[in-house]
Amino acid sequence: MSTYRIGVIGLGKIAQDQHLPVIAESSDFTLAAVSSQRGLTAPGALAFTSAEALLAGTPHLDAVAICTPPQARYAIALAALQAGKHVMLEKPPAATLSELAALEDAAATRGLVLMTTWHSQYNAAVDMARDLLAGQTVAELFVNWQEDVRKWHPGQAWIWQAGGFGVFDPGINALSIVTKIMPHPVFVERADLVTPENADAPIAVSIRFAGPGDLRAEFDWRATGGETWEITVVTGHGKRLVLSGGGTRLAVDGVTMAEAPQREYQGIYTHFAELLRAGRAHVDAAPLRLVADAFMLGRRVATAAFTE
Ligand code: NAP
């Protein structure tokens, strides 16, 4: 089995928490290069201070994982594809749907693998929920995604800027579970985007999805008493599924059916290796589409300025 030489671009929180350790223990990948604007390095890997320098300086690289904020992702991903590299895109895969469509075309034209990584989808409990809901009707969907932005995103100025997604940065993880488990497509009917007067992006969002059924989502970054990452689905037959812990636990009518420690990024890299071996792309735009729809239909509700 071949080992792929991979480069990681942007050594921020997620690169350090997940990508680098998971690559280090992977039998499919070798960390060949990193690029960090701040000049961070990684043991055994060539180090560069820009994506351009990394692409120019490592002709033998097979693939890159792009772990920058979303606003920078498109230009870097396009340059990587133009340099003949396969590309893994952190979530959200691009700042806009048009950018993602253009990347999909650019990869297909060159016969390269492009993969969107919706990490919350890589949980056995999520797969079980999808299987249990297949062919069912849904009477209720309630997405309750609450966390403290000061705890989870300290110092991340980009997240408040246009294209930074605000509370949709975690909220899109919930939507990536929703689009995977729901037995039918969901559509945003109404959205309230609660936005600090000194920010471009929302701190809290309420979404009502089109029926039939009572389908809602609440994302809130102002929760200071611990986090809640929970999705409840009640079927037309009254069965109650609760996915909690960000998709790591599933209870059905109060009985735990699946619970496992998070190994999302191990799953992501295993899937990327499978795609590389098969020469197949995996581009899932559905969670990004829902966020775009919420911004398109949403009502901006002003709230007090945010200070960290
Ligand atoms: P972060 O800590 O702010 O790291 C992003 C890094 O990207 C920065 O530290 C910087 O690293 C680099 N960077 C920043 N601006 C750049 C630009 N304009 N061009 C090129 N590189 C730039 O953010 P993060 O939490 O790791 O999130 C990054 C992405 O991963 C986001 O899309 C986020 O949604 C996703 N994600 C985050 C988590 C999480 O738990 N934090 C989980 C899953 C997915 P260098 O100085 O090293 O270049």
Side-chain angles (χ1 to χ4, degrees), residues 12-296:
K13 183 172 185 333
I14 196 58
Q16 294 186 37
D17 287 358
Q18 297 290 341
H19 290 263
L20 298 184
V22 169
I23 292 168
E25 70 173 36
S26 167
S27 53
D28 294 313
F29 294 93
T30 304
L31 184 68
V34 294
S35 106
S36 167
Q37 295 181 326
R38 290 164 297 168
L40 301 186
T41 60
L46 295 171
F48 302 88
T49 52
S50 72
E52 300 75 44
L54 178 146
L55 293 170
T58 53
H60 304 305
L61 207 62
D62 297 303
V64 293
I66 304 178
C67 303
T68 67
Q71 296 99 322
R73 196 129 39 232
Y74 171 76
I76 294 172
L78 185 63
L81 293 169
Q82 286 169 340
K85 312 303 176 201
H86 305 291
V87 171
M88 176 194 287
L89 299 168
E90 247 306 345
K91 51 76 29 176
T96 67
L97 287 166
S98 302
E99 286 180 353
L100 183 57
L103 290 177
E104 194 171 7
D105 284 350
T109 304
R110 292 169 176 80
L112 293 166
V113 172
L114 181 69
M115 175 178 161
T116 51
T117 58
W118 300 109
H119 62 87
S120 299
Q121 293 184 344
Y122 290 79
N123 283 292
V126 172
D127 289 342
M128 188 180 280
R130 175 201 55 199
D131 294 346
L132 289 171
L133 290 171
Q136 302 285 317
T137 56
V138 171
E140 269 178 61
L141 165 71
F142 181 52
V143 179
N144 189 13
W145 224 252
Q146 318 238 358
E147 63 182 41
D148 180 356
V149 66
R150 291 181 177 87
K151 174 177 172 187
W152 291 94
H153 300 276
Q156 293 185 345
W158 59 266
I159 220 156
W160 296 106
Q161 294 159 5
F165 286 71
V167 75
F168 279 118
D169 181 79
I172 204 168
N173 299 334
L175 295 174
S176 76
I177 296 177
V178 168
T179 55
K180 185 167 184 182
I181 67 172
M182 285 289 280
H184 54 70
V186 293
F187 303 99
V188 175
E189 189 173 74
R190 173 195 166 116
D192 289 343
L193 312 168
V194 180
T195 309
E197 56 193 21
N198 60 344
D200 299 328
I203 195 166
V205 171
S206 300
I207 298 177
R208 175 162 294 284
F209 301 101
D214 177 16
L215 315 182
R216 293 184 299 121
E218 295 287 343
F219 307 139
D220 205 325
W221 253 347
R222 299 166 296 188
T224 49
E227 37 288 328
T228 305
W229 297 311
E230 196 167 276
I231 297 174
T232 302
V233 184
V234 181
T235 69
H237 292 110
K239 199 181 273 296
R240 186 179 196 83
L241 284 72
V242 180
L243 267 171
S244 54
T248 57
R249 272 191 305 278
L250 175 67
V252 179
D253 293 337
V255 179
T256 301
M257 304 292 283
E259 180 163 19
Q262 258 190 17
R263 288 186 60 81
E264 295 172 347
Y265 279 79
Q266 287 83 352
I268 284 173
Y269 274 91
T270 298
H271 185 44
F272 193 41
E274 287 164 0
L275 294 174
L276 291 172
R277 281 194 281 275
R280 200 160 36 86
H282 178 174
V283 177
D284 175 8
L288 185 63
R289 269 202 306 265
L290 286 179
V291 172
D293 289 351
F295 275 117
M296 198 142 45

